[in-house]
Amino acid sequence: MARKRVEIPVIGMTCANCSRAVERVLTKKVEGVSSAEVNLASDLAQVVYDPDITGLDAMAEAVKKAGYLLVLPEEGKENEDVEAEARRKEQKAQSRALQVGIVFTLPLFALSMLRDFGFLGPGFSEAWFNWILFGLAVPVQFYTGWGYYVGGVKSLANRSANMDVLVAMGSSVAFFYSVSVLVLPALGGHVYFETSAMIVTLIKVGKYLESRAKGRAGRAIRALMDLAPKKAHLVVEGNSIQDVPLKALSKGDLVLVKPGERIPVDGEVIEGSSSVDESAFTGEFMPVDKSAGDRVLGGTFNLQGALEVRAQAVGSEAALAEVIRLARKAQGSKAPIQRLADKVSAYFVPAIIMISIVTFILWWTLGGEFVPAMVRMVAVLVIACPCALGLATPAAVLVGSGKGASMGILFRNAEALEKAHAVNTVIFDKTGTVTMGKPTLADWLYLGEDGRDQEVLGLAVAAASLSEHPISRAIVSGAKDRKVFPAHAVNFKASSGFGIEAEVSGKPVKVGRLEWVAGPAGIPDKVRKAHAKLSEAGATVSAVSVSGSIVGLLGVSDPVKPGAGEAIKRLIEMGVEPVMLTGDGEVAARSAASQVGIEKVIAQVLPADKEAEVRKAGEEGKVVAMVGDGVNDAPALAAAGVSFAMSTGTDAAMEAADVTLLGGDLAGVARAIELSRATMRTIRQNLFWAFFYNLLLVPAAAGAFHGVAFLPGFIRDLHPAMAAAAMAASSITVVLNGLRLDKSKIGK
């Protein structure tokens, strides 16, 4: 049986070492799991496994032993509902623990400070007062902070060390030293119950705020999930309407969509006309007109008239579900730049423990006093923050890929989101990418002078109406727009590669290549010049003859997409070179390229050679992106550094691409590169501050700046409580900086 990929929510992770621990447990201790990627920012595990060997229950059991929880699907419930319920329970438990911590820490801290500053009088220095402080500290240490002990022990049992180990060690040193002073009065000295409590509570506050911020980071995907309506108006026999749950719909059902409602399914409009807001998919806010025969997507918004829609895809098969799946896959994957932070975090906690021990020994040896040495050791343990390092990349990827999804840009994974920032050359396929991919009758040039142009066009259309060739279909469609409708044609014959002929109203009519239509009689100069002029404009020109005389020329062209010129202009402004790569002739290719502002054109390239052209550009030192939509573009897309596919194109192209542009809007290419650049900028900022924070404050906590007079006192002698606050603030800062991406003006 083929391997299966699943995405499973994880509960209980606090830092980068936690996510690494879950990955290690899944890949090393669960037979049949070939790979696992765990994202700290989204709390999601992406697992590839062999279902013949193992299952989700075995994974959940192994992860549970490591101290974490996998949220598995439950029968009869939506996966999102199960996850939301599990997270609510976890948040409720954490909130209760935080509340207990605050309730006991505030009076503990106030009483300790009032005594230390002499506001309570000498009587409060007695042992009985220390017992009151002890009573207030116990619930904080062993209820609010119990999770740190459990997490730390399980982390060490799995041969790793996470943030829980540092917090548990730091707070425990302060707490149990104070207990020893309490039960052995002969030791004398100050108790530090308020320090241990402040450490636990402040870090708990930080984790709570971080969790809230991480929740905001995933709102783009939740907004997409909310697009699907809960119910639909099902049209049943007799044209009566029944309101049914969305999950009750099947392929082929007919649904009524009223004005002001979201369309519940992907399907075809059977009856009615309206304007539909597709901005949730494409990022384009201009409504799209829909009428019978047009395709609509579930989750889009019906603005005006009522529509009857025949369902073609529902539930997990619909485009909205695929968009959500791809976006969440990108959010859960790891960017290559994250490997640096992962390598550092693997050694981070053991290194901090060693630094704290060395700090304690040095200060006790050199200073001769136990308590100051202990305080500095606790500060080192608490100030160190693997969380900021672990969150630096995934927090930005989570927001960046979510913002992309809301703009109609789907990144296959975090690696694609990272690579796109370096693109300096974009190679465009022509047909269906820069152009509409739909031949259109652009010109009808009647060569006679008797005013019979409509009549003669009708004869040509009559012959073309019997052909399925794309050019013939374009002629017929264009004639309808001109209010010209075909007469009856007989004796139809198609000559492959040359044209068609038929008898219409008793007259022989030929439509096709100029030389073939002209035959032995040759081509008059007037006709040749007119043909050359239309060809130079980029049209595919077909001659029309009636009764052996050439009477007109039909110009069929593939118009460029609306907004393509603006999209190319934006790329050039960004310093990106656009290139057109096409199998079309030089004249047609340069005509289309000139309309959108592309100067470099590589024309008449066979499908098999497109890949070689892309590789050649890469070998010249360019970071190449390829944009295409057809089956013949798939090899070239795979060869590019970053590949873009139009969702209006083929499945083969989208399967080969790193980025899918919903709606086929070329402006999405520039937006994707802009978004990638903004994401990478945020990642670099996050990594800089995470490293800078630890490089500056760990030495400060160790007392390295003790004698530096110009520094503030709180830096020279960093108190453990302030260290705890700084640690919490560092993680929150990284997440909030990632959230700034959501407000960035991409493509505006």
Side-chain angles (χ1 to χ4, degrees):
M1 187 174 178
R3 293 190 178 276
K4 191 173 180 181
R5 177 186 289 272
V6 292
E7 186 182 78
I8 316 171
V10 187
I11 288 177
M13 297 189 297
T14 57
C15 71
N17 282 4
C18 295
S19 56
R20 290 182 66 255
V22 175
E23 287 176 350
R24 190 165 52 251
V25 166
L26 287 170
T27 54
K28 303 294 184 186
K29 297 191 177 182
V30 183
E31 188 181 358
V33 173
S34 56
S35 70
E37 278 194 358
V38 180
N39 188 297
L40 179 62
S42 60
D43 290 329
L44 289 172
Q46 292 189 9
V47 186
V48 178
Y49 70 102
D50 187 339
D52 288 337
I53 299 175
T54 190
L56 299 183
D57 290 335
M59 296 180 210
E61 186 61 31
V63 170
K64 186 178 180 181
K65 288 179 181 177
Y68 309 97
L69 176 68
L70 290 187
V71 183
L72 302 185
E74 293 182 18
E75 193 173 344
K77 290 185 178 180
E78 296 287 338
N79 289 355
E80 291 80 11
D81 295 338
V82 176
E83 179 184 354
E85 185 179 338
R87 293 207 186 282
R88 274 196 300 271
K89 286 181 180 177
E90 172 71 8
Q91 287 170 1
K92 189 175 180 180
Q94 292 300 325
S95 179
R96 193 184 306 117
L98 175 58
Q99 289 169 8
V100 169
I102 292 172
V103 165
F104 284 92
T105 299
L106 287 177
L108 172 59
F109 179 74
L111 289 172
S112 297
M113 292 300 102
L114 287 171
R115 183 178 70 172
D116 290 350
F117 287 106
F119 291 108
L120 296 182
F124 288 89
S125 298
E126 302 296 330
W128 65 268
F129 189 74
N130 288 343
W131 281 103
I132 293 175
L133 300 181
F134 168 76
L136 290 169
V138 167
V140 181
Q141 192 71 28
F142 298 108
Y143 181 76
T144 302
W146 184 247
Y148 296 127
Y149 286 107
V150 173
V153 169
K154 289 190 174 182
S155 175
L156 293 172
N158 283 286
R159 298 180 182 179
S160 67
N162 62 6
M163 185 205 78
D164 293 339
V165 173
L166 296 178
V167 177
M169 286 182 67
S171 62
S172 294
V173 168
F175 180 84
F176 287 109
Y177 167 77
S178 301
V179 170
S180 66
V181 170
L182 190 64
V183 298
L184 298 172
L187 290 176
H190 190 280
V191 292
Y192 288 88
F193 288 121
E194 83 287 351
T195 298
S196 64
M198 288 289 286
I199 289 170
V200 170
T201 302
L202 283 171
I203 292 175
K204 202 65 138 177
V205 169
K207 282 293 159 188
Y208 175 76
L209 295 175
E210 177 191 315
S211 175
R212 292 284 298 272
K214 283 165 65 177
R216 284 170 56 200
R219 63 186 173 188
I221 301 303
R222 288 193 297 277
L224 285 173
M225 293 167 67
D226 291 340
L227 291 178
K230 301 299 180 186
K231 291 187 176 182
H233 308 305
L234 178 65
V235 181
V236 295
E237 291 183 13
N239 284 333
S240 61
I241 306 295
Q242 282 185 358
D243 286 349
V244 299
L246 190 62
K247 59 185 177 183
L249 293 178
S250 303
K251 186 177 178 180
D253 283 344
L254 187 65
V255 296
L256 173 67
V257 187
K258 299 176 182 179
E261 294 182 340
R262 291 203 176 273
I263 297 171
V265 296
D266 293 359
E268 181 184 346
V269 177
I270 303 300
E271 189 175 322
S273 61
S274 182
S275 292
V276 175
D277 179 359
E278 297 184 339
S279 59
F281 278 87
T282 65
E284 278 295 327
F285 289 93
M286 287 298 293
V288 181
D289 292 336
K290 300 288 183 180
S291 57
D294 290 333
R295 189 164 185 263
V296 291
L297 298 175
T300 56
F301 193 72
N302 182 27
L303 294 170
Q304 295 174 333
L307 298 173
E308 285 193 9
V309 178
R310 181 74 67 188
Q312 295 175 332
V314 297
S316 61
E317 296 179 357
L320 179 60
E322 180 68 5
V323 169
I324 293 169
R325 186 188 69 79
L326 286 172
R328 293 192 68 164
K329 180 183 176 185
Q331 288 188 334
S333 62
K334 287 187 177 181
I337 197 172
Q338 191 173 340
R339 293 173 191 145
L340 172 64
D342 285 349
K343 287 179 181 178
V344 172
S345 64
Y347 301 100
F348 187 86
V349 175
I352 292 300
I353 292 172
M354 289 301 299
I355 291 170
S356 70
I357 293 171
V358 170
T359 297
F360 174 73
I361 293 171
L362 284 175
W363 278 99
W364 194 10
T365 303
L366 299 175
E369 295 185 59
F370 175 83
V371 172
M374 180 201 71
V375 170
R376 293 193 188 281
M377 179 179 73
V378 172
V380 170
L381 289 169
V382 175
I383 196 72
C385 189
C387 310
L389 281 172
L391 285 167
T393 298
V397 168
L398 179 66
V399 179
S401 53
K403 185 174 179 65
S406 68
M407 296 165 62
I409 303 165
L410 292 181
F411 292 93
R412 177 181 293 274
N413 48 39
E415 184 175 359
L417 179 60
E418 177 181 331
K419 288 195 300 184
H421 87 281
V423 167
N424 54 28
T425 302
V426 177
I427 297 177
F428 292 92
D429 172 54
K430 172 182 165 285
T431 306
T433 303
V434 174
T435 65
M436 298 294 290
K438 185 179 180 182
T440 302
L441 180 60
D443 296 289
W444 162 235
L445 181 61
Y446 181 57
L447 299 175
E449 297 177 356
D450 53 7
R452 295 172 57 230
D453 55 322
Q454 291 289 89
E455 179 188 338
V456 174
L457 177 58
L459 297 175
V461 172
S465 65
L466 299 179
S467 170
E468 289 301 314
H469 193 279
I471 291 179
S472 294
R473 291 203 298 269
I475 292 170
V476 174
S477 177
K480 284 182 181 178
D481 294 339
R482 290 171 166 78
K483 309 299 181 186
V484 175
F485 299 96
H488 182 62
V490 295
N491 299 327
F492 174 81
K493 182 182 177 182
S495 299
S496 180
F498 295 99
I500 57 173
E501 53 188 312
E503 187 178 322
V504 185
S505 301
K507 300 172 183 176
V509 177
K510 295 177 77 172
V511 181
R513 298 180 73 164
L514 180 60
E515 294 79 3
W516 178 75
V517 171
I523 306 169
D525 287 343
K526 176 184 175 182
V527 175
R528 191 181 296 278
K529 288 177 181 178
H531 185 280
K533 189 174 182 180
L534 288 179
S535 297
E536 286 171 6
T540 299
V541 184
S542 297
V544 178
S545 73
V546 178
S547 301
S549 297
I550 298 176
V551 293
L553 299 172
L554 292 161
V556 173
S557 62
D558 186 4
V560 299
K561 288 182 175 178
E566 285 297 315
I568 300 300
K569 181 182 177 183
R570 178 64 188 136
L571 283 172
I572 294 171
E573 289 172 350
M574 293 166 58
V576 178
E577 180 189 20
V579 178
M580 182 177 285
L581 176 66
T582 179
D584 286 1
E586 187 80 21
V587 173
R590 291 209 171 272
S591 173
S594 65
Q595 291 179 60
V596 297
I598 296 178
E599 292 185 2
K600 186 173 181 180
V601 176
I602 306 172
Q604 296 178 307
V605 180
L606 295 174
D609 296 331
K610 285 187 176 182
E611 178 186 5
E613 290 290 344
V614 173
R615 291 191 186 280
K616 180 182 175 183
E619 289 166 1
E620 291 172 357
K622 299 174 180 176
V623 182
V624 181
M626 172 74 191
V627 187
D629 77 321
V631 173
N632 62 346
D633 296 325
L637 289 169
V642 182
S643 50
F644 292 80
M646 303 294 174
S647 67
T648 51
T650 63
D651 290 341
M654 286 188 281
E655 195 62 35
D658 298 310
V659 187
T660 298
L661 303 177
L662 299 176
D665 184 5
L666 280 185
V669 178
R671 289 177 190 151
I673 295 172
E674 278 189 88
L675 180 59
S676 175
R677 290 178 179 179
T679 302
M680 288 304 297
R681 191 161 53 245
T682 301
I683 288 173
R684 292 191 185 105
Q685 289 168 355
N686 281 352
L687 287 173
F688 170 79
W689 285 113
F691 280 113
F692 179 76
Y693 164 88
N694 285 294
L695 287 172
L696 175 68
L697 293 185
V698 169
F705 307 135
H706 177 66
V708 183
F710 66 85
L711 289 175
F714 69 88
I715 293 290
R716 284 182 279 136
D717 296 292
L718 196 65
H719 191 276
M722 290 193 68
M727 178 192 181
S730 66
S731 298
I732 298 167
T733 301
V734 164
V735 177
L736 291 178
N737 191 44
L739 284 171
R740 288 173 58 244
L741 259 177
D742 201 35
K743 302 295 183 184
S744 58
K745 295 181 179 180
I746 304 295
K748 295 180 182 178

